[in-house]
C-alpha cells in the first residue's frame, strides 16, 4: 500500500511540474532579462556565432530565442534540459 501511495505522489508531482512548465511557456513574454535573453544579448550571440559557420552548438536549457538563433544560422544543435516537457513547451514559442 505504501508503494501505491508513493506512485500516486510521484504522479501528482509530475503533473504539478507539467503545469508549471506550461504556465512558464504561456507567460514567457512577461519575463524580462535576466530570466530570458535581451535583444542586445541575442545580437551579441549572433555576431559571435556568425563567425562559426556550420558549427555544432550546444544549448543548455530550453530558451526559445537561442534555439531560434542557432536554427537561423543553420547550426547543428544539441539541446540539453533537465525536463523534456519544458523543451517541448518552449518549442511552441519558437518562430
Amino acid at each position: 500500500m505504501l508503494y501505491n501511495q508513493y506512485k500516486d505522489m510521484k504522479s501528482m508531482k509530475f503533473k504539478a511540474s507539467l503545469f508549471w512548465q506550461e504556465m512558464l511557456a504561456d507567460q514567457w513574454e512577461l519575463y524580462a532579462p535576466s530570466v530570458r535573453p535581451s535583444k542586445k544579448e541575442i545580437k551579441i550571440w549572433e555576431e559571435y556565432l556568425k563567425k562559426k559557420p556550420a558549427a555544432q552548438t550546444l544549448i543548455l536549457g530550453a530558451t526559445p530565442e537561442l534555439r531560434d538563433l542557432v536554427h537561423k544560422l543553420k547550426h547543428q544543435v544539441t539541446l540539453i534540459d533537465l525536463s523534456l516537457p519544458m523543451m517541448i513547451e518552449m518549442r511552441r514559442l519558437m518562430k
Side-chain angles (χ1 to χ4, degrees), residues 8-82:
D8 290 344
M9 194 168 69
K10 279 183 68 178
S11 176
M12 287 175 20
K13 204 173 180 181
F14 180 73
K15 287 177 185 173
S17 175
L18 285 178
F19 172 76
W20 179 84
Q21 292 161 3
E22 288 173 8
M23 186 180 71
L24 178 67
D26 289 341
Q27 297 178 355
W28 188 245
E29 291 297 321
L30 301 175
Y31 290 93
S34 67
V35 173
R36 61 187 285 198
S38 69
K39 290 180 181 182
K40 184 176 180 179
E41 290 170 321
I42 293 294
K43 198 70 175 156
I44 292 168
W45 277 109
E46 184 173 13
E47 292 305 314
Y48 174 77
L49 291 173
K50 278 183 180 178
K51 299 173 188 172
K52 312 283 183 195
Q56 294 181 351
T57 304
L58 172 65
I59 298 177
L60 303 176
T63 307
E65 293 88 349
L66 296 176
R67 295 165 74 178
D68 283 337
L69 174 61
V70 294
H71 284 289
K72 174 182 163 185
L73 298 174
K74 300 188 182 341
H75 286 201
Q76 182 179 353
V77 182
T78 300
L79 180 68
I80 297 177
D81 194 278
L82 292 174

